Amino acid sequence: MDSALKKTSSRINVFLRTQDRVTSMVIDRAAIILRAKKPAVDWINQTAPIPDIDPLSLPEVNSDSQLYLVPDDVDTEELATIWAYTNADVLLQDFLSGWHQDESLWPKTLDTDLFKQWFAVEYHSLIIDTVDAPINKADF
């Protein structure tokens, strides 16, 4: 077994051995994942900074989406969607800047209508931290 797999395997074994403590590792947040729709992928492909690259597909763009922790009182899919719509401009800015720093390439209006066209909101109510260590926050 190679060293990376051994390291991963040992982490998995630690979690499995402490399975009886899982409920104590639930954190007080819910989560949303924004799944891009075709118009968002079309924008990415139309503004590609590298000429002559193959266009990205919808599954490629959604293969590693950002997960946003939201307050735990966002406890239904409907409330998660309302939370996302309320924060649509900031979420759009985060998505756009992840693809292009040049804001002149961004859509002119970042609003709820654009958000609805570009994203589906995926809601997760149960977040379990399987790492027995503090969470470190980093500013980017």
Side-chain angles (χ1 to χ4, degrees):
M1 186 182 307
D2 69 39
S3 64
L5 185 55
K6 255 185 206 174
K7 189 174 184 180
T8 301
S9 177
S10 90
R11 282 193 227 144
I12 291 169
N13 288 338
V14 169
F15 175 66
L16 293 175
R17 280 197 308 265
T18 60
Q19 193 88 30
D20 56 342
R21 291 186 7 200
V22 169
T23 55
S24 67
M25 293 184 280
V26 173
I27 63 172
D28 62 345
R29 300 283 187 277
I32 63 167
I33 298 173
L34 302 183
R35 297 294 183 191
K37 295 179 182 177
K38 187 178 182 313
V41 176
D42 290 344
W43 173 82
I44 292 166
N45 288 322
Q46 290 166 2
T47 59
I50 305 168
D52 303 322
I53 63 165
D54 289 335
L56 293 171
S57 68
L58 192 58
E60 288 172 321
V61 171
N62 285 323
S63 68
D64 190 19
S65 302
Q66 287 177 300
L67 179 141
Y68 297 90
L69 294 178
V70 298
D72 64 342
D73 61 353
V74 176
D75 57 2
T76 65
E77 192 164 332
E78 180 182 10
L79 288 174
T81 301
I82 291 168
W83 186 94
Y85 290 171
T86 302
N87 293 283
D89 59 333
V90 176
L91 294 170
L92 279 161
Q93 289 171 19
D94 189 48
F95 176 81
L96 294 166
S97 67
W99 290 100
H100 297 292
Q101 293 294 312
D102 181 356
E103 293 182 23
S104 70
L105 297 172
W106 295 8
K108 299 299 176 220
T109 305
L110 305 181
D111 60 10
T112 306
D113 289 335
L114 180 67
F115 185 92
K116 289 177 182 179
Q117 293 170 23
W118 278 27
F119 300 108
V121 177
E122 186 177 296
Y123 168 69
H124 299 272
S125 63
L126 185 62
I127 311 299
I128 299 173
D129 185 354
T130 64
V131 180
D132 190 19
I135 295 175
N136 298 316
K137 292 183 178 183
D139 292 327
F140 290 97

